[in-house]
Amino acid sequence: MPTSNVLSGIEIANRMNAETASRAADLSVVPTLATVLVGDDPGSVKYVEMKRRRSARWGLGTVHVHLLSDTSTSALLAVLSELADDTSVHGILLQHPLPAHIDGRAAFDAIPLTKDVDGTSSAAFAAAALGRPGHRSCTPAGIIALLDHYGVPLAGADVVVVGRSAILGKPLAAMLTERDATVTLCHSRTTDLAAHTRRADVLVAAAGRPGLITGEMVRSGAAVVDAGFTPGDVAPEVSEVASAVSPVPGGVGPMTIAMLLAHTVDAAEWRSERCHPGGPDRT
Ligand code: NAP
């Protein structure tokens, strides 16, 4: 029975953040991240605060716009357009989820590709799917960096992703395909989820359903990434079957924020070099 290794993201994220801070210090401008929050969802308030604190800690500037929960789509688009035109802002993060009355796709697509450091726009999604320049969606990019760090092979591997959201499962599937993995994307309408997950060399749980992935759903020796927030989508007994499991907290979370900070500095570097985003591909 495999004794599972821990795919910890803490040390890797700290190393990435130190490199990001050093790149930021080399620039003649302070790379600045604008965060936009609509409403007062407690989780979103906490995550935005964490992203801002970590930005400041690693030498990035921050601007924060907090809008009331009844803000209209057009008012939000006006704020995003102002930030898009503001030359002191290098990256824009629009915190999801947005209130239901807002046209979320229109809002994310109002962020120009060069400033879309969270990789949430349709243009960023297309760039990721086609292997073109652009910032990659942060959580998928963090997951792939985590797997790369621990030497988990992706080319030719059977990778099963559970969850197909526009910010996580779908871009991750596209990015893994670019990495030559054979990807199966599962969701709430998948019949016999376990039949798919049991085939996976690499299994990514991104459903937001605590304990969804149980030991019997995992192939012996598989690498398992848990993208869920505490307590995580992966049941504790999976560690007895898998070769490696990412912890919650301390796995995907720190990697996601490290990607966001790195992308913000990429955006500032690209601007200072007056070129289209074509810098380092972090996937
Ligand atoms: P989401 O938009 O709610 O999407 C959840 C996805 O999971 C949907 O595609 C849904 O299927 C699928 N799903 C739900 N129940 C399922 C089930 N029983 N079996 C199979 N699939 C199921 O969530 P999200 O924003 O992608 O986030 C997913 C998880 O990742 C959450 O726990 C979230 O908190 C976490 N997250 C973590 C980070 C990080 O930095 N660590 C960042 C973002 C998100 P349908 O499409 O059919 O509804």
Side-chain angles (χ1 to χ4, degrees), residues 116-280:
D116 182 14
V117 289
D118 203 23
T120 50
S121 63
S122 302
F125 181 86
L130 298 171
R132 301 295 296 163
H135 305 285
R136 302 304 187 235
S137 184
C138 289
T139 304
I143 290 170
I144 291 176
L146 191 67
L147 291 167
D148 282 344
H149 176 85
Y150 287 98
V152 177
L154 293 176
D158 275 320
V159 183
V160 175
V161 178
V162 184
R164 60 171 167 183
S165 74
I167 59 138
L168 216 172
K170 279 180 185 163
L172 178 60
M175 288 156 70
L176 288 165
T177 304
E178 274 297 293
R179 289 289 303 271
D180 298 326
T182 302
V183 184
T184 304
L185 187 55
C186 299
H187 45 79
S188 68
R189 306 292 297 273
T190 297
T191 48
D192 200 354
L193 180 63
H196 293 284
T197 59
R198 265 191 227 111
R199 281 203 335 264
D201 300 312
V202 179
L203 174 60
V204 181
R209 296 284 180 273
L212 174 68
I213 305 299
T214 58
E216 62 195 17
M217 295 169 77
V218 176
R219 223 194 63 191
S220 176
V224 179
V225 175
D226 190 344
F229 280 121
T230 315
D233 287 2
V234 175
E237 80 265 11
V238 169
S239 301
E240 288 157 33
V241 185
S243 62
V245 182
S246 74
V248 177
V252 174
M255 295 299 293
T256 297
I257 299 185
M259 283 295 164
L260 178 69
L261 307 194
H263 289 172
T264 304
V265 175
D266 289 343
E269 285 175 348
W270 293 337
R271 168 103 62 77
S272 72
E273 288 159 18
R274 290 177 191 283
C275 63
H276 191 265

Side-chain angles (χ1 to χ4, degrees), residues 28-93:
S28 56
V29 294
V30 178
T32 296
L33 174 68
T35 50
V36 180
L37 174 63
V38 186
D40 294 299
D41 170 70
S44 296
V45 170
K46 189 176 115 195
Y47 303 135
V48 167
E49 186 47 40
M50 204 188 294
K51 288 164 185 171
R52 295 184 65 217
R53 245 188 292 125
R54 217 150 300 170
S55 297
R57 178 172 160 209
W58 295 101
L60 274 61
T62 59
V63 171
H64 183 53
V65 181
H66 191 169
L67 300 169
L68 296 173
S69 56
D70 63 356
T71 298
S72 64
T73 298
S74 59
L76 175 59
L77 292 180
V79 166
L80 293 169
S81 162
E82 236 175 80
L83 292 170
D85 291 341
D86 185 339
T87 52
S88 69
V89 166
H90 301 92
I92 301 171
L93 170 111

